[in-house]
Amino acid sequence: MRDRTLETLGLAEAPRDHPLLYPGAWPTDSGLLDGDRLLPLDRLLHEDRVPVLAVGSNASPAQLRHKMAQYGITSPIPMVRTRVTGIDVGVSAHVSLLGYVSASPFEAPDAVRELFVTWLDAEQLAVIDASEGVPRSDGNYRRAWLPAPEVRFELADGTQLPGAYVYVNRHGVLHDGTGAPRTHPGQRALITELLVGSARLRELFGVTPEEFCARARADGELCRRGTRLFKEEKLVTASGLEDRVRAQQTGSPGTGSSLSPPLM
């Protein structure tokens, strides 16, 4: 078998270390993340695990590897390339402590995207939940179940999932100027556009993407001020997925599935 290390595959740089590379390099196909290697998968379905859709850096093997390493978790993670209909990748309405403005899903019935579903065991799911702030009342994301057929998840062999979880930003998403959610163009292009459009944002974060990232990293108060500024300048709209979050929090039907009952 040829060398399958993340370094060899060009997947070794994590956005947490290189924020302007967000969301990081994604694999070209499905694989099994095993330490610092991405191995071929022997199957696409993993009924004993929970399917979680990645729309940002959770589809970066390097970012996932780092998150797991923080908790000493070394078990492999299946990453399955999936054709998703009904969801698009927007811009989270918050500034991350890691120095970037991250991605967040929004409802888009006609959108078709090639994304990754990560299949997580209970321990891995707890790590990703924690990294997204799910357990905290002031966390940036909430995990919600997206059921088919409202959202369609089709694997490479034609298998359709009954649904998957996704992380929905509790602040909302940024809009495109018309009130509709905007798609995420990549970090450098996004920050450049945001800085050009807001003098107040430039006062806080500087005039270049490099300055923005450097000032935001690990400065919690500055990130909170930037997040508030998005709302004050009326740049924020709803993702359309808020009802899914509320349904899960109240335990309404449709928050789980026979394939992947909630583990938390």
Side-chain angles (χ1 to χ4, degrees), residues 214-263:
R215 294 188 187 185
R217 285 177 72 83
D219 188 334
E221 178 54 32
L222 184 61
C223 290
R224 286 188 286 273
R225 289 175 66 188
T227 299
R228 289 195 299 269
L229 183 58
F230 287 154
K231 292 184 178 179
E232 290 167 3
E233 298 207 335
K234 303 187 186 316
L235 301 176
V236 181
T237 190
S239 69
L241 301 173
E242 288 79 8
D243 285 347
R244 286 291 154 199
V245 175
R246 286 189 285 270
Q248 178 168 309
Q249 290 176 336
T250 58
S252 300
T255 59
S257 82
S258 59
L259 177 66
S260 57
L263 297 185

Side-chain angles (χ1 to χ4, degrees), residues 23-84:
W26 293 7
T28 57
D29 204 353
S30 300
L32 181 70
L33 179 60
D34 186 5
D36 68 346
R37 300 181 300 165
L38 189 68
L39 306 175
L41 269 179
D42 59 357
R43 57 193 172 98
L44 301 180
L45 277 178
H46 300 266
E47 292 91 340
D48 57 336
R49 290 170 170 258
V50 172
V52 181
L53 182 67
V55 301
S57 64
N58 285 337
S60 161
Q63 192 93 325
L64 276 181
R65 176 182 60 176
H66 189 281
K67 289 184 178 186
M68 295 300 153
Q70 286 182 300
Y71 292 86
I73 295 175
T74 59
S75 52
I77 298 177
M79 302 179 67
V80 177
R81 189 175 175 90
T82 305
R83 180 178 292 270
V84 181

